[in-house]
Amino acid sequence: MIKYLRHFWLAYPFLALKIFIYYWQTDRLDMMNVYEVPVLTVLFLFGLFELCSMGRGKASRWIFYIIYTIVTVLMFADAAYSSYFGKYISVNQIYQITSFGQIAGDGNVIGAAVSPGCLLTLIDYPFVLYFYRLRQKTGEKLSAMSMRKFVPYVLAHGLLLVIMICAWFYYGFNPYNLRSVQKVNHIEFFTYHTNDILVNVVGKIQRGDVDKDAILNTMEEIVPKSSGDDYKGVAEGKNLILIQTESFNDFVIGAEYNGQELTPNLNALLQEDTFYFNHFYSTTGVGNTSDAEFAALNGLYPNDERECYRLYVDNTFQGLPWILRDAGYGAYAFHGYVKTFWNRDEAYKTQGFEHFYSQEELDMTEISGFGLTDKEMFRQAVDILKEKEQPFFSFMITLTNHIPYELDPSLATLELKDSDKGSTFGNYLQTIRYTDEAFGKLIQYLKDAGLYDNTMIVIYGDHQGMNMETPAVKSKMSAFLGREYNFDEMLKVPLIIHIPGLGEAKTIGTVGGEVDIMPTIANLMNVDPGQPFVFGHDLLNADEGFVAQISYIGKGSFIAGDNAMIFGIGKDGTVESGSAWNLLTGQRMNVNVNLCQQYSDRATALIDTCKEVLDYNLIADYVTH
Ligand code: GP9
Ligand code: MN
């Protein structure tokens, strides 16, 4: 019995197990009906083992160990990344993590975001190395083979090598640019990573010239438009406080939990002098929080290459800080964490902020999670602002409501049900309540400082806090909502515009996203960017609502107000295998492939065209800072 357990052929069941675990943990098992996917992964992985183990020496051993280690680490990284972001990792994020250690904060955060199941992708590793070694020791040497054995053996392995190279080239490089091939290399491990390197490394090196007029023409067709001048200038000359709220889902607004309001302060704010947009969506890229800031400040889409605060840190911008400075405002940013995180300290300079008050300058009087509490950040910010000349623009980024939502117990006021205590869902509601209380405090601080009446306060969420890719979160959320928790609700964040003295309060259903914040505020304050590269539009005068997506739901996904539809592209990158939900009911919709393909192409064009504008720093042709 032991004798059989010590046979090197046992490597193959372990390799098969690895493939199964990989597609299981990356949630791609239901896509194995694209039969090329499992066939190719088996071919490449078994083939690598088979071909490498023809050699009996130290060199071939190390070559195999190195290749297999890279494959294992990448599979683990894909599983970990997928468990939160729903997609495989790319060279861009590997560079982002290895060079800057940035994606999601500290170990606690990663622990709460990443599913432990991804560790299963490592279990075969010692066994496969062991069986490889066994094969080297016990297998017949090529030099010792008789001619009758040697010739077919070498021919068969040569044929295997040729098949592997052809398949790798055809599916990984996609030389004829076929959708059917793309469908495979969106899912299959080896060809996905090959194609990823090709597009993101080689493609960039080969970048050609840019045609600015063609870009402007494309923008004319794809960027949603606004006409009319409702509410133009109603906040002209007022101070502006723009607050990006960490992990702030929209479903909490107006919601009751266990007999308590989750956001009593914001709910009260909505009753007077406020526009509340209840179909407003996060448009983050791989720079998560920082990309939400980037989109909101500049009306530009982030992308799936790297965080814009690093990729375009030296570009010229003409977003809210610069526009308002040109109109005579001071521009200041506040955030209770280290200034280098997401490269903010550098990025804020080119965005136009005169000063960034970060952890290094604020008093760390009260800490929860990984930074200064929101209440303390607001208190200190108002103390600083009341000494500034008016009008000012202040951008504040909250932090307490950050995953894993571990609020210091002395700050918790929500009565949780026993069944929710200790769960991510329960913790989240607790920190949401805290953040809402912080907003209540902010209003009070502004009133006490005599700033309130002359200040427009704009609040929005950066991205979701409740991630539907985490099964425990999904089931609690679905139970809470009374329907399946899905992208339609997950990607929705609130946008609240409070203008003291406005004289009305409205809930507005126009579809919008973070890219629309700058143009909407510009209309209210009667200022103009003075350059044409703005990818959002004024939501108070919108002809339509249309938002492109890249993060979490995948490039090619969109939200279309005209059809009240949110569409998620299939994980294989095709519209055919995508899904759609009704924005008003949350119910699944049938996918009209022709219509969705048109919208999907428009969404992709919005992201790609904006990326070109940024890659070639085109705003610099219009402004000099
Ligand atoms: C930290 C914060 C978090 O400064 O903004 O960023 P996130 O992890 O949510 O992207
Ligand atoms: Mn965030």
Side-chain angles (χ1 to χ4, degrees):
M1 180 67 186
I2 294 287
K3 196 173 101 195
Y4 293 112
L5 288 178
R6 295 204 53 199
H7 200 289
F8 68 80
W9 285 108
L10 277 173
Y12 289 102
F14 276 100
L15 293 174
L17 178 70
K18 186 181 193 68
I19 295 170
F20 170 77
I21 291 176
Y22 174 72
Y23 289 117
W24 169 41
Q25 285 303 313
T26 56
D27 201 17
R28 294 330 193 245
L29 277 185
D30 57 342
M31 289 170 186
M32 292 304 120
N33 55 356
V34 182
Y35 72 92
E36 290 103 320
V37 173
V39 170
L40 285 174
T41 315
V42 167
L43 172 74
F44 293 129
L45 202 57
F46 283 34
L48 272 174
F49 184 85
E50 186 57 40
L51 291 173
C52 286
S53 57
M54 282 172 82
R56 298 280 173 263
K58 219 176 173 180
S60 81
R61 181 157 73 245
W62 279 105
I63 289 173
F64 179 76
Y65 284 1
I66 290 168
I67 295 177
Y68 202 67
T69 305
I70 293 172
V71 167
T72 302
V73 169
L74 262 186
M75 284 193 165
F76 170 74
D78 277 343
Y81 196 72
S82 276
S83 72
Y84 196 76
F85 291 99
K87 55 186 176 188
Y88 295 155
I89 202 158
S90 142
V91 275
N92 297 321
Q93 282 84 64
I94 295 172
Y95 179 70
Q96 190 178 354
I97 297 167
T98 51
S99 315
F100 311 110
Q102 231 139 69
I103 264 201
D106 64 5
N108 265 352
V109 173
I110 294 166
V114 169
S115 140
C118 59
L119 290 168
L120 292 173
T121 54
L122 307 175
I123 55 175
D124 62 288
Y125 184 71
F127 296 99
V128 172
L129 295 197
Y130 165 76
F131 288 121
Y132 181 86
R133 189 79 187 103
L134 196 66
R135 177 160 198 182
Q136 278 203 321
K137 281 187 191 154
T138 58
E140 204 178 339
K141 277 190 179 161
L142 278 179
S143 54
M145 278 184 191
S146 67
M147 255 318 166
R148 270 183 54 201
K149 233 180 170 181
F150 179 82
V151 174
Y153 185 86
V154 171
L155 278 180
H157 283 78
L159 185 66
L160 175 64
L161 182 64
V162 171
I163 294 173
M164 278 171 67
I165 291 175
C166 291
W168 179 66
F169 182 76
Y170 183 75
Y171 286 100
F173 289 63
N174 193 4
Y176 306 110
N177 207 9
L178 301 175
R179 267 193 198 254
S180 54
V181 170
Q182 200 184 58
K183 193 168 168 169
V184 176
N185 70 28
H186 262 73
I187 317 170
E188 198 284 319
F189 171 78
F190 289 96
T191 49
Y192 163 80
H193 287 288
T194 305
N195 195 261
D196 177 51
I197 292 170
L198 208 69
V199 172
N200 290 308
V201 182
V202 185
K204 231 189 286 169
I205 296 168
Q206 293 171 344
R207 189 190 282 163
D209 282 343
V210 68
D211 181 347
K212 199 170 87 183
D213 292 335
I215 289 183
L216 286 169
N217 287 339
T218 308
M219 284 182 70
E220 184 61 26
E221 280 168 34
I222 59 176
V223 176
K225 294 190 175 55
S226 301
S227 42
D229 50 12
D230 284 0
Y231 303 105
K232 194 174 187 71
V234 295
E236 189 169 346
K238 280 189 186 286
N239 302 314
L240 167 65
I241 296 183
L242 177 64
I243 305 164
Q244 176 169 298
T245 314
E246 179 58 47
S247 306
F248 205 53
N249 275 96
D250 179 69
F251 77 88
V252 300
I253 304 290
E256 269 211 5
Y257 167 83
N258 202 17
Q260 306 148 90
E261 274 181 284
L262 287 174
T263 58
N265 291 286
L266 288 177
N267 297 348
L269 203 70
L270 300 192
Q271 303 306 314
E272 239 185 316
D273 298 336
T274 300
F275 300 121
Y276 163 47
F277 291 86
N278 67 349
H279 282 102
F280 187 80
Y281 299 87
S282 165
T283 51
T284 58
V286 290
N288 220 34
T289 304
S290 62
D291 279 350
E293 297 177 17
F294 181 82
L297 293 171
N298 296 291
L300 294 167
Y301 275 104
N303 55 59
D304 53 5
E305 184 172 334
R306 209 175 314 141
E307 69 271 39
C308 293
Y309 274 7
R310 216 174 287 274
L311 204 51
Y312 305 115
V313 64
D314 296 322
N315 273 31
T316 300
F317 294 98
Q318 182 67 355
L320 279 174
W322 283 120
I323 299 170
L324 289 170
R325 275 176 74 178
D326 288 350
Y329 281 62
Y332 316 99
F334 294 86
H335 180 53
Y337 191 45
V338 288
K339 63 182 179 189
T340 50
F341 201 83
W342 286 129
N343 207 28
R344 284 186 176 103
D345 54 341
E346 291 303 319
Y348 283 170
K349 290 180 196 151
T350 42
Q351 308 288 299
F353 288 107
E354 289 171 74
H355 198 91
F356 173 27
Y357 294 91
S358 59
Q359 168 172 318
E360 288 78 2
E361 269 179 72
L362 297 166
D363 292 334
M364 298 306 279
T365 40
E366 186 178 62
I367 293 173
S368 187
F370 59 92
L372 183 65
T373 58
D374 297 342
K375 285 182 189 170
E376 274 302 285
M377 192 265 284
F378 286 150
R379 185 184 63 76
Q380 295 181 40
V382 175
D383 269 353
I384 292 169
L385 290 171
K386 71 180 180 208
E387 302 304 326
K388 298 278 184 204
E389 223 172 273
Q390 295 188 51
F392 57 74
F393 164 38
S394 167
F395 183 46
M396 304 180 185
I397 304 108
T398 74
L399 185 59
T400 310
N401 190 42
H402 194 283
I403 195 169
Y405 316 113
E406 278 165 3
L407 189 67
D408 189 289
S410 65
L411 304 173
T413 58
L414 196 71
E415 193 56 52
L416 287 181
K417 293 178 189 165
D418 284 345
S419 55
D420 291 330
K421 285 184 183 154
S423 71
T424 305
F425 171 73
N427 291 348
Y428 180 69
L429 299 188
Q430 195 63 269
T431 48
I432 280 285
R433 166 57 92 85
Y434 171 84
T435 298
D436 176 76
E437 286 171 8
F439 284 128
K441 291 264 184 208
L442 172 68
I443 303 281
Q444 197 51 53
Y445 297 141
L446 288 170
K447 286 183 176 164
D448 294 347
L451 291 171
Y452 173 78
D453 289 330
N454 195 35
T455 301
M456 165 158 81
I457 302 163
V458 180
I459 298 168
Y460 67 99
D462 61 347
H463 51 73
Q464 89 291 339
M466 293 286 86
N467 195 317
M468 59 179 256
E469 302 287 348
T470 310
V473 167
K474 181 158 176 146
S475 71
K476 288 250 179 209
M477 277 300 299
S478 300
F480 183 70
L481 296 172
R483 62 184 167 83
E484 195 185 347
Y485 183 50
N486 246 318
F487 287 117
D488 60 306
E489 195 60 62
M490 182 177 101
L491 297 172
K492 199 148 62 111
V493 291
L495 168 64
I496 296 167
I497 302 180
H498 180 66
I499 310 171
L502 177 70
E504 64 176 305
K506 287 217 254 205
T507 297
I508 301 173
T510 306
V511 162
E514 280 149 358
V515 285
D516 298 312
I517 289 178
M518 185 270 261
T520 305
I521 291 178
N523 173 59
L524 289 165
M525 301 188 88
N526 197 16
V527 289
D528 196 301
Q531 52 90 10
F533 298 112
V534 179
F535 284 76
H537 66 326
D538 167 21
L539 293 177
L540 288 162
N541 291 285
D543 297 344
E544 64 161 336
F546 187 85
V547 180
Q549 288 288 317
I550 359 165
S551 216
Y552 299 103
I553 192 168
K555 190 166 153 188
S557 305
F558 60 82
I559 301 132
D562 282 355
N563 300 73
M565 180 207 296
I566 177 165
F567 174 82
I569 194 93
K571 282 188 174 164
D572 59 3
T574 66
V575 164
E576 288 81 353
S577 41
S579 318
W581 295 266
N582 184 298
L583 295 181
L584 306 173
T585 61
Q587 298 303 311
R588 267 187 193 262
M589 292 169 83
N590 285 334
V591 174
N592 173 337
V593 175
N594 282 340
L595 179 81
C596 290
Q597 187 68 60
Q598 266 177 40
Y599 279 150
S600 177
D601 292 345
R602 179 181 178 187
T604 304
L606 280 166
I607 307 285
D608 289 347
T609 312
C610 189
K611 186 167 186 308
E612 264 192 288
V613 167
L614 288 162
D615 285 346
Y616 290 95
N617 193 18
L618 295 183
I619 296 171
D621 293 353
Y622 294 80
V623 276
T624 42
H625 292 302

